[in-house]
């Protein structure tokens, strides 16, 4: 192994490149996404590699404790329990949770095992970050992914950021937005809070939480009223425009729903529609709602009526959370899709896989999603690299129910989910194995092995292929071999190999054949729908979560720059955790007076779903009448709403009526 | 005169510079303050030409050497006057004075900054590029 190995950041989905050196990190200044820069998480990413708490040996539960077992004992046990559950209760008794932090090859193999065992109950954490994006963009544009690369933002003349605090969650994206500003671009940020992203805005729309559809429909109302839509684009490249009726969404009415001034709504509409190239950037502030799918639909409608798709500097840019959310979904680690975005209801498309896999039959119809698993009558649950207990609100409250069957957890740390397991398998971390990761901009990058895994920890792919062999399936254990099979199973990855994915910056899918240069900008000539046209789809403002005398405030959840998801990695990084050690709740000073709370007080927050304790932080950046809590701390999930978006099964994580009081 | 300059309009308060500096030096010599969640300002040594820390140092442990302020720990009595005199609060006292030494040429804070808010270079060159950028923005707005 050389002294410096190129790698890709294991945290968010921006896909920043850097080198791992024996002492830590060296910047990669010729990487096309981050040009060397890294956010704080990337800077300390190697901290987790040799952390003392890394799982080093397979462990079996004995009552309350654990005993160390050999790999062959552990693997034999998995291969006994899985078929036993199948024999006793059928495929419905099995469930699998893949990982948006594992490689494409690992997720592909994992979902293949699930499907060969006869179940579509396989999911991954995309369920609670971008399942609405998947459903809405696949239906409207044909491809459920970011349309343009991140660096394209520098070419935009107007950037509309809605439901994303990218300056904290995807800091490197801010680099490209500032480049656009240097050229005179206008930046609009719609967010109820004054975030560091809002600092970059020329126009900050501090809307009421959960009123995004009203705002966008209001902008469309202004655009159509002033004739700013792109008629020829609508005529030639879309369908469904006639059904789009937003006449109810006058700026005045939208003003009363969103709390914004009518003038700001008009200004935003004009800025977006009149710019030569406009892009929309959104994140979980749009998707994590019980109307998440409609929210994404509204964003896409706005882009389509203005013809702001299919050119450099335009497009719809969903920022994914984890480093391989896009890839895990492309690989079919989803209850509603097989690899290559084949719907679980499309038996024709699935038949191709059946032949490729030499399988007698494959299951049809949606399986259990992550949030449904605790309520199902499971006998066997296999969790690969996912701390479902800390990341799914419903699961957090119903964690004990997960234990009704045999639970295998394969991870790098003993997470709260692993603590529930009957068998824990120690996995290699990202830099201790090989394979590809797909960033939020569809960039597929090969990651090489930079370090040895600690103790007996093994790459997930090795573990899975050993389990498969014991089940009687002969699946490759070499990432390159798996990638060769992915070439056939996932058309957009048809030409991706170790060579092109291993180049600096990798390659952006679709890359249908080996000589193809990749496709940074989608939909330039036609959309990937069957007839090549995008589907404009009307959506309406839903009834919002209401406050009441018992719950007079609205709780918003989100992230902070120093932590990441459930914190299983960042909470083990000293440089990060000491700067952000505990759960806080942001309160506007006026609300603090109202509820008798002072800065630094320990407070209780209660929604109709649960209670949490936090430290109050007074800040004028918080919108009056709302509170904000970061979800990296398990308590936040206990108070988050359990309502679901029926289309995508996304939980309503962003908005919940609540109350606050001083704890002592 | 080579220094590190901050464009406060670009800083998003991410503290990446602080975390990177800590990784390289064991202790951060740049410290990002976020004011009321409304703006962020990284505080660090500006290698002042007429440096107040140098002026108050009785022992010559701080002195100007060509382009920058340098520190000689052997002469330092840890009296703390420099820390009080620094108009930026860039000096921290510990068992030894902690202040930025420009990372001998390739400052990791500059390299890691996601937004290019920190720039290392010659003041004239930086002013020229700032002017060019401002003119470009103005021109775009007039178009
Ligand atoms: S922006 Fe995302 S990918 Fe880049 S360093 Fe930070 S966490 Fe890693
Ligand atoms: S130049 Fe080096 S020592 Fe100075 S603040 Fe930056 S990282 Fe720290
Ligand atoms: S790294 Fe850059 S943006 Fe982040 S706090 Fe430091 S100066 Fe500000």
């Amino acid at each position: 192994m050389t002294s410096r190995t190129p790698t890709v950041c294991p945290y968010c989905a921006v896909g920043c490149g850097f080198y791992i050196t024996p002492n830590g990190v060296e910047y990669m200044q010729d990487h096309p996404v981050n040009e060397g820069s890294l956010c704080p998480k990337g800077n300390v990413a190697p901290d987790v590699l040799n952390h003392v708490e890394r799982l080093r040996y397979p462990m079996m539960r004995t009552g309350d404790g654990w005993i160390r077992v050999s790999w062959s004992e552990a693997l034999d046990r998995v291969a006994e329990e899985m078929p036993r559950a199948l024999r006793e209760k059928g495929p419905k008794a099995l469930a699998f949770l893949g990982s948006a932090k594992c490689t494409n090859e690992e997720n592909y193999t994992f979902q293949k095992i699930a499907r060969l065992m006869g179940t579509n109950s396989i999911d991954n954490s995309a369920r609670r970050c971008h399942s609405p994006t998947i459903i809405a963009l696949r239906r409207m544009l044909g491809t459920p992914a970011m349309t343009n690369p991140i660096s394209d933002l520098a070419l935009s003349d107007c950037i509309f950021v809605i439901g994303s605090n990218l300056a904290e969650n995807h800091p490197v994206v801010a680099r490209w937005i500032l480049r656009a500003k240097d050229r005179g671009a206008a930046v609009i940020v719609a967010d109820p809070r004054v975030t560091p992203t809002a600092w970059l805005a020329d126009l900050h729309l501090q809307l009421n939480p959960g009123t995004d559809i009203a705002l966008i429909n209001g902008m469309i109302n202004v655009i159509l009223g002033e004739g700013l839509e792109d008629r020829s684009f609508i005529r030639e490249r879309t369908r469904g425009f006639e059904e789009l009726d937003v006449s109810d969404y006058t700026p005045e009415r939208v003003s009363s729903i969103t709390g914004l001034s009518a003038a700001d709504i008009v200004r935003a509409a004009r800025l977006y529609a009149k710019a030569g190239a406009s892009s929309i950037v959104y994140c979980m502030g749009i998707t994590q709602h019980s109307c998440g799918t409609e929210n994404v639909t509204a964003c896409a409608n706005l882009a389509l009526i203005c013809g702001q798709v299919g050119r450099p500097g335009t497009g719809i840019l969903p920022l994914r959370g984890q480093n391989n959310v896009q890839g895990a979904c492309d690989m079919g680690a989803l209850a509603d899709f097989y690899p290559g975005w084949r719907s679980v209801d499309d038996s024709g498309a699935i038949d191709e896989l059946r032949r490729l896999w030499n399988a007698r039959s494959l299951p049809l119809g949606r399986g259990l999603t992550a949030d449904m698993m605790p309520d199902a009558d499971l006998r066997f649950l296999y969790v690969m690299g996912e701390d479902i207990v800390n990341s799914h609100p419903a699961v957090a409250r119903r964690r004990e129910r997960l234990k009704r069957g045999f639970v295998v957890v394969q991870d790098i740390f003993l997470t709260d989910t692993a603590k529930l397991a009957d068998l824990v398998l120690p996995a290699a971390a990202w830099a201790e194995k090989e394979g590809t990761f797909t960033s939020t901009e569809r960039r597929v990058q090969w990651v090489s092995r930079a370090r040895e895994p600690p103790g007996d920890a093994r790459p997930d792919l090795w573990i899975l292929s050993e389990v498969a062999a014991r089940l009687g399936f002969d699946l490759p254990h070499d990432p390159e071999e798996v990638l060769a099979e992915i070439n056939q199973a996932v058309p957009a990855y048809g030409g991706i190999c170790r060579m092109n994915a291993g180049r600096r910056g990798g390659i952006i899918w679709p890359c249908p054949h080996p000589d193809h240069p990749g496709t940074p900008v989608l939909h330039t000539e036609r959309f990937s729908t069957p007839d090549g046209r995008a589907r404009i789809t009307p959506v309406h403002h839903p009834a919002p979560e209401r406050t009441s005398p018992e719950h007079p405030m609205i709780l918003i959840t989100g992230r902070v720059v120093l932590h990441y998801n459930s914190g299983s990695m960042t909470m083990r990084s000293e440089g990060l955790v000491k700067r952000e050690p505990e759960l806080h709740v942001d309160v506007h000073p006026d609300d603090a007076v109202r509820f008798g709370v002072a800065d630094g007080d320990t407070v209780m927050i209660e929604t109709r779903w649960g209670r949490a304790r936090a430290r109050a932080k007074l800040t004028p950046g918080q919108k009056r009448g709302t509170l904000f809590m970061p979800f990296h701390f398990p308590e936040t999930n206990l108070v988050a709403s359990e309502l679901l978006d029926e289309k995508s099964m996304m939980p309503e994580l962003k908005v919940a009526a609540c109350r606050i009081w001083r704890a002592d | 005169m080579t220094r590190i300059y901050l464009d406060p309009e670009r800083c998003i308060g991410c503290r990446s510079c602080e975390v990177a500096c800590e990784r390289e030096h064991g202790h951060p010599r740049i410290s990002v303050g976020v004011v009321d969640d409304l703006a962020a300002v990284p505080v660090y040594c500006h290698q002042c030409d007429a440096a107040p820390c140098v002026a108050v140092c009785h022992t010559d442990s701080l002195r100007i050497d060509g382009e920058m302020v340098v520190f000689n720990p052997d002469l330092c009595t840890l009296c703390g006057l420099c820390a009080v005199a620094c108009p930026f609060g860039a000096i921290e006292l510990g068992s030894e004075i902690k202040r930025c030494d420009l990372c001998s040429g390739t400052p990791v804070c500059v390299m890691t900054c996601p937004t290019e808010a920190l720039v290392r270079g010659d003041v004239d060159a930086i002013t020229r590029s700032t002017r060019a950028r401002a003119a470009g923005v103005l021109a775009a707005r007039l178009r």
Side-chain angles (χ1 to χ4, degrees), chain A residues 524-546:
Chain A
T524 50
E525 308 282 323
R526 63 192 304 279
F527 288 92
S528 20
T529 50
D531 62 3
R533 284 166 180 259
R535 300 284 185 277
I536 291 172
T537 312
V539 282
H540 291 283
H541 177 63
E545 170 93 353
R546 290 205 189 284

PDB file of all heavy atoms in Angstrom, chain A residues 524-546:
ATOM      1  N   THR A 524     -31.190  16.535 -22.175  1.00  0.00           N
ATOM      2  CA  THR A 524     -30.872  17.620 -23.102  1.00  0.00           C
ATOM      3  C   THR A 524     -31.772  17.589 -24.337  1.00  0.00           C
ATOM      4  O   THR A 524     -32.229  18.633 -24.796  1.00  0.00           O
ATOM      5  CB  THR A 524     -29.405  17.544 -23.557  1.00  0.00           C
ATOM      6  OG1 THR A 524     -29.151  16.210 -24.001  1.00  0.00           O
ATOM      7  CG2 THR A 524     -28.438  17.892 -22.441  1.00  0.00           C
ATOM      8  N   GLU A 525     -32.055  16.382 -24.834  1.00  0.00           N
ATOM      9  CA  GLU A 525     -32.885  16.283 -26.051  1.00  0.00           C
ATOM     10  C   GLU A 525     -34.287  15.761 -25.710  1.00  0.00           C
ATOM     11  O   GLU A 525     -35.277  16.236 -26.229  1.00  0.00           O
ATOM     12  CB  GLU A 525     -32.265  15.307 -27.058  1.00  0.00           C
ATOM     13  CG  GLU A 525     -30.803  15.583 -27.387  1.00  0.00           C
ATOM     14  CD  GLU A 525     -30.672  16.731 -28.350  1.00  0.00           C
ATOM     15  OE1 GLU A 525     -31.528  16.834 -29.251  1.00  0.00           O
ATOM     16  OE2 GLU A 525     -29.724  17.530 -28.188  1.00  0.00           O
ATOM     17  N   ARG A 526     -34.302  14.739 -24.898  1.00  0.00           N
ATOM     18  CA  ARG A 526     -35.587  14.138 -24.527  1.00  0.00           C
ATOM     19  C   ARG A 526     -35.524  13.684 -23.066  1.00  0.00           C
ATOM     20  O   ARG A 526     -34.449  13.484 -22.525  1.00  0.00           O
ATOM     21  CB  ARG A 526     -35.924  12.963 -25.446  1.00  0.00           C
ATOM     22  CG  ARG A 526     -34.950  11.796 -25.390  1.00  0.00           C
ATOM     23  CD  ARG A 526     -35.180  10.799 -26.535  1.00  0.00           C
ATOM     24  NE  ARG A 526     -36.549  10.265 -26.591  1.00  0.00           N
ATOM     25  CZ  ARG A 526     -37.021   9.279 -25.844  1.00  0.00           C
ATOM     26  NH1 ARG A 526     -36.249   8.721 -24.931  1.00  0.00           N
ATOM     27  NH2 ARG A 526     -38.261   8.854 -25.978  1.00  0.00           N
ATOM     28  N   PHE A 527     -36.690  13.586 -22.471  1.00  0.00           N
ATOM     29  CA  PHE A 527     -36.741  13.062 -21.108  1.00  0.00           C
ATOM     30  C   PHE A 527     -36.725  11.542 -21.178  1.00  0.00           C
ATOM     31  O   PHE A 527     -37.034  10.963 -22.228  1.00  0.00           O
ATOM     32  CB  PHE A 527     -37.989  13.591 -20.394  1.00  0.00           C
ATOM     33  CG  PHE A 527     -37.861  15.053 -20.070  1.00  0.00           C
ATOM     34  CD1 PHE A 527     -38.326  16.021 -20.956  1.00  0.00           C
ATOM     35  CD2 PHE A 527     -37.233  15.470 -18.911  1.00  0.00           C
ATOM     36  CE1 PHE A 527     -38.171  17.369 -20.687  1.00  0.00           C
ATOM     37  CE2 PHE A 527     -37.069  16.825 -18.629  1.00  0.00           C
ATOM     38  CZ  PHE A 527     -37.536  17.770 -19.522  1.00  0.00           C
ATOM     39  N   SER A 528     -36.398  10.895 -20.069  1.00  0.00           N
ATOM     40  CA  SER A 528     -36.292   9.435 -20.143  1.00  0.00           C
ATOM     41  C   SER A 528     -37.610   8.717 -19.855  1.00  0.00           C
ATOM     42  O   SER A 528     -37.628   7.568 -19.456  1.00  0.00           O
ATOM     43  CB  SER A 528     -35.156   8.944 -19.233  1.00  0.00           C
ATOM     44  OG  SER A 528     -34.826   9.884 -18.250  1.00  0.00           O
ATOM     45  N   THR A 529     -38.716   9.432 -20.091  1.00  0.00           N
ATOM     46  CA  THR A 529     -40.041   8.793 -20.028  1.00  0.00           C
ATOM     47  C   THR A 529     -40.243   8.005 -21.332  1.00  0.00           C
ATOM     48  O   THR A 529     -39.512   8.240 -22.304  1.00  0.00           O
ATOM     49  CB  THR A 529     -41.128   9.874 -19.928  1.00  0.00           C
ATOM     50  OG1 THR A 529     -40.884  10.828 -20.970  1.00  0.00           O
ATOM     51  CG2 THR A 529     -41.075  10.586 -18.589  1.00  0.00           C
ATOM     52  N   PRO A 530     -41.224   7.100 -21.375  1.00  0.00           N
ATOM     53  CA  PRO A 530     -41.398   6.294 -22.598  1.00  0.00           C
ATOM     54  C   PRO A 530     -41.554   7.141 -23.871  1.00  0.00           C
ATOM     55  O   PRO A 530     -40.988   6.808 -24.905  1.00  0.00           O
ATOM     56  CB  PRO A 530     -42.663   5.485 -22.307  1.00  0.00           C
ATOM     57  CG  PRO A 530     -42.700   5.380 -20.811  1.00  0.00           C
ATOM     58  CD  PRO A 530     -42.092   6.646 -20.287  1.00  0.00           C
ATOM     59  N   ASP A 531     -42.291   8.251 -23.809  1.00  0.00           N
ATOM     60  CA  ASP A 531     -42.460   9.055 -25.038  1.00  0.00           C
ATOM     61  C   ASP A 531     -41.488  10.238 -25.102  1.00  0.00           C
ATOM     62  O   ASP A 531     -41.588  11.079 -25.989  1.00  0.00           O
ATOM     63  CB  ASP A 531     -43.911   9.539 -25.157  1.00  0.00           C
ATOM     64  CG  ASP A 531     -44.313  10.451 -24.006  1.00  0.00           C
ATOM     65  OD1 ASP A 531     -43.447  10.741 -23.144  1.00  0.00           O
ATOM     66  OD2 ASP A 531     -45.481  10.864 -23.954  1.00  0.00           O
ATOM     67  N   GLY A 532     -40.563  10.311 -24.156  1.00  0.00           N
ATOM     68  CA  GLY A 532     -39.548  11.364 -24.219  1.00  0.00           C
ATOM     69  C   GLY A 532     -40.000  12.719 -23.698  1.00  0.00           C
ATOM     70  O   GLY A 532     -39.246  13.687 -23.715  1.00  0.00           O
ATOM     71  N   ARG A 533     -41.257  12.795 -23.249  1.00  0.00           N
ATOM     72  CA  ARG A 533     -41.751  14.080 -22.739  1.00  0.00           C
ATOM     73  C   ARG A 533     -41.897  14.046 -21.221  1.00  0.00           C
ATOM     74  O   ARG A 533     -42.241  13.006 -20.647  1.00  0.00           O
ATOM     75  CB  ARG A 533     -43.132  14.381 -23.338  1.00  0.00           C
ATOM     76  CG  ARG A 533     -43.071  14.835 -24.772  1.00  0.00           C
ATOM     77  CD  ARG A 533     -44.465  14.762 -25.362  1.00  0.00           C
ATOM     78  NE  ARG A 533     -44.456  15.191 -26.738  1.00  0.00           N
ATOM     79  CZ  ARG A 533     -44.854  16.418 -27.127  1.00  0.00           C
ATOM     80  NH1 ARG A 533     -45.272  17.290 -26.247  1.00  0.00           N
ATOM     81  NH2 ARG A 533     -44.823  16.738 -28.401  1.00  0.00           N
ATOM     82  N   ALA A 534     -41.672  15.187 -20.623  1.00  0.00           N
ATOM     83  CA  ALA A 534     -41.836  15.276 -19.162  1.00  0.00           C
ATOM     84  C   ALA A 534     -43.316  15.420 -18.844  1.00  0.00           C
ATOM     85  O   ALA A 534     -44.111  15.880 -19.667  1.00  0.00           O
ATOM     86  CB  ALA A 534     -41.074  16.474 -18.639  1.00  0.00           C
ATOM     87  N   ARG A 535     -43.690  15.012 -17.628  1.00  0.00           N
ATOM     88  CA  ARG A 535     -45.098  15.071 -17.208  1.00  0.00           C
ATOM     89  C   ARG A 535     -45.286  16.200 -16.202  1.00  0.00           C
ATOM     90  O   ARG A 535     -44.839  16.089 -15.064  1.00  0.00           O
ATOM     91  CB  ARG A 535     -45.498  13.766 -16.521  1.00  0.00           C
ATOM     92  CG  ARG A 535     -45.369  12.526 -17.375  1.00  0.00           C
ATOM     93  CD  ARG A 535     -46.519  12.464 -18.372  1.00  0.00           C
ATOM     94  NE  ARG A 535     -46.473  11.215 -19.117  1.00  0.00           N
ATOM     95  CZ  ARG A 535     -45.706  11.002 -20.201  1.00  0.00           C
ATOM     96  NH1 ARG A 535     -44.905  11.939 -20.645  1.00  0.00           N
ATOM     97  NH2 ARG A 535     -45.751   9.840 -20.819  1.00  0.00           N
ATOM     98  N   ILE A 536     -45.940  17.259 -16.635  1.00  0.00           N
ATOM     99  CA  ILE A 536     -46.332  18.293 -15.669  1.00  0.00           C
ATOM    100  C   ILE A 536     -47.515  17.738 -14.879  1.00  0.00           C
ATOM    101  O   ILE A 536     -48.437  17.164 -15.459  1.00  0.00           O
ATOM    102  CB  ILE A 536     -46.688  19.600 -16.407  1.00  0.00           C
ATOM    103  CG1 ILE A 536     -45.412  20.196 -17.016  1.00  0.00           C
ATOM    104  CG2 ILE A 536     -47.384  20.586 -15.481  1.00  0.00           C
ATOM    105  CD1 ILE A 536     -45.632  21.382 -17.930  1.00  0.00           C
ATOM    106  N   THR A 537     -47.469  17.846 -13.560  1.00  0.00           N
ATOM    107  CA  THR A 537     -48.459  17.160 -12.719  1.00  0.00           C
ATOM    108  C   THR A 537     -48.982  18.124 -11.653  1.00  0.00           C
ATOM    109  O   THR A 537     -48.212  18.571 -10.802  1.00  0.00           O
ATOM    110  CB  THR A 537     -47.780  15.959 -12.007  1.00  0.00           C
ATOM    111  OG1 THR A 537     -47.031  15.220 -12.975  1.00  0.00           O
ATOM    112  CG2 THR A 537     -48.795  15.062 -11.340  1.00  0.00           C
ATOM    113  N   PRO A 538     -50.263  18.464 -11.701  1.00  0.00           N
ATOM    114  CA  PRO A 538     -50.766  19.435 -10.711  1.00  0.00           C
ATOM    115  C   PRO A 538     -50.693  18.904  -9.277  1.00  0.00           C
ATOM    116  O   PRO A 538     -50.924  17.715  -9.045  1.00  0.00           O
ATOM    117  CB  PRO A 538     -52.241  19.624 -11.105  1.00  0.00           C
ATOM    118  CG  PRO A 538     -52.443  18.876 -12.364  1.00  0.00           C
ATOM    119  CD  PRO A 538     -51.301  17.964 -12.608  1.00  0.00           C
ATOM    120  N   VAL A 539     -50.341  19.777  -8.343  1.00  0.00           N
ATOM    121  CA  VAL A 539     -50.370  19.418  -6.920  1.00  0.00           C
ATOM    122  C   VAL A 539     -50.931  20.598  -6.131  1.00  0.00           C
ATOM    123  O   VAL A 539     -50.865  21.741  -6.580  1.00  0.00           O
ATOM    124  CB  VAL A 539     -48.967  19.099  -6.339  1.00  0.00           C
ATOM    125  CG1 VAL A 539     -48.518  17.715  -6.731  1.00  0.00           C
ATOM    126  CG2 VAL A 539     -47.927  20.133  -6.719  1.00  0.00           C
ATOM    127  N   HIS A 540     -51.481  20.283  -4.974  1.00  0.00           N
ATOM    128  CA  HIS A 540     -52.108  21.348  -4.182  1.00  0.00           C
ATOM    129  C   HIS A 540     -51.609  21.376  -2.757  1.00  0.00           C
ATOM    130  O   HIS A 540     -51.159  20.371  -2.225  1.00  0.00           O
ATOM    131  CB  HIS A 540     -53.631  21.223  -4.252  1.00  0.00           C
ATOM    132  CG  HIS A 540     -54.116  21.553  -5.627  1.00  0.00           C
ATOM    133  ND1 HIS A 540     -54.207  22.841  -6.076  1.00  0.00           N
ATOM    134  CD2 HIS A 540     -54.438  20.750  -6.663  1.00  0.00           C
ATOM    135  CE1 HIS A 540     -54.588  22.826  -7.345  1.00  0.00           C
ATOM    136  NE2 HIS A 540     -54.734  21.571  -7.731  1.00  0.00           N
ATOM    137  N   HIS A 541     -51.714  22.538  -2.174  1.00  0.00           N
ATOM    138  CA  HIS A 541     -51.276  22.762  -0.800  1.00  0.00           C
ATOM    139  C   HIS A 541     -52.120  21.922   0.152  1.00  0.00           C
ATOM    140  O   HIS A 541     -53.341  22.041   0.160  1.00  0.00           O
ATOM    141  CB  HIS A 541     -51.407  24.254  -0.482  1.00  0.00           C
ATOM    142  CG  HIS A 541     -51.060  24.580   0.922  1.00  0.00           C
ATOM    143  ND1 HIS A 541     -49.802  24.384   1.434  1.00  0.00           N
ATOM    144  CD2 HIS A 541     -51.818  25.071   1.925  1.00  0.00           C
ATOM    145  CE1 HIS A 541     -49.809  24.753   2.706  1.00  0.00           C
ATOM    146  NE2 HIS A 541     -51.007  25.172   3.028  1.00  0.00           N
ATOM    147  N   PRO A 542     -51.484  21.051   0.942  1.00  0.00           N
ATOM    148  CA  PRO A 542     -52.263  20.196   1.848  1.00  0.00           C
ATOM    149  C   PRO A 542     -52.598  20.945   3.135  1.00  0.00           C
ATOM    150  O   PRO A 542     -52.065  22.010   3.398  1.00  0.00           O
ATOM    151  CB  PRO A 542     -51.279  19.073   2.156  1.00  0.00           C
ATOM    152  CG  PRO A 542     -49.942  19.745   2.104  1.00  0.00           C
ATOM    153  CD  PRO A 542     -50.037  20.861   1.099  1.00  0.00           C
ATOM    154  N   ALA A 543     -53.488  20.337   3.919  1.00  0.00           N
ATOM    155  CA  ALA A 543     -53.781  20.924   5.232  1.00  0.00           C
ATOM    156  C   ALA A 543     -52.519  20.811   6.079  1.00  0.00           C
ATOM    157  O   ALA A 543     -51.964  19.733   6.220  1.00  0.00           O
ATOM    158  CB  ALA A 543     -54.930  20.158   5.875  1.00  0.00           C
ATOM    159  N   PRO A 544     -52.036  21.895   6.619  1.00  0.00           N
ATOM    160  CA  PRO A 544     -50.775  21.825   7.365  1.00  0.00           C
ATOM    161  C   PRO A 544     -50.972  21.302   8.781  1.00  0.00           C
ATOM    162  O   PRO A 544     -52.096  21.253   9.278  1.00  0.00           O
ATOM    163  CB  PRO A 544     -50.338  23.289   7.404  1.00  0.00           C
ATOM    164  CG  PRO A 544     -51.616  24.066   7.354  1.00  0.00           C
ATOM    165  CD  PRO A 544     -52.622  23.242   6.610  1.00  0.00           C
ATOM    166  N   GLU A 545     -49.882  20.897   9.393  1.00  0.00           N
ATOM    167  CA  GLU A 545     -49.906  20.536  10.821  1.00  0.00           C
ATOM    168  C   GLU A 545     -50.314  21.799  11.593  1.00  0.00           C
ATOM    169  O   GLU A 545     -49.757  22.870  11.379  1.00  0.00           O
ATOM    170  CB  GLU A 545     -48.498  20.072  11.256  1.00  0.00           C
ATOM    171  CG  GLU A 545     -48.319  19.892  12.743  1.00  0.00           C
ATOM    172  CD  GLU A 545     -48.574  18.462  13.237  1.00  0.00           C
ATOM    173  OE1 GLU A 545     -49.029  17.627  12.439  1.00  0.00           O
ATOM    174  OE2 GLU A 545     -48.318  18.212  14.424  1.00  0.00           O
ATOM    175  N   ARG A 546     -51.311  21.645  12.463  1.00  0.00           N
ATOM    176  CA  ARG A 546     -51.805  22.837  13.166  1.00  0.00           C
ATOM    177  C   ARG A 546     -51.319  22.878  14.609  1.00  0.00           C
ATOM    178  O   ARG A 546     -51.215  21.844  15.253  1.00  0.00           O
ATOM    179  CB  ARG A 546     -53.330  22.842  13.161  1.00  0.00           C
ATOM    180  CG  ARG A 546     -53.899  23.103  11.800  1.00  0.00           C
ATOM    181  CD  ARG A 546     -55.298  23.691  11.881  1.00  0.00           C
ATOM    182  NE  ARG A 546     -55.885  23.729  10.553  1.00  0.00           N
ATOM    183  CZ  ARG A 546     -55.548  24.618   9.630  1.00  0.00           C
ATOM    184  NH1 ARG A 546     -54.654  25.546   9.884  1.00  0.00           N
ATOM    185  NH2 ARG A 546     -56.107  24.593   8.441  1.00  0.00           N
TER     186      ARG A 546
END
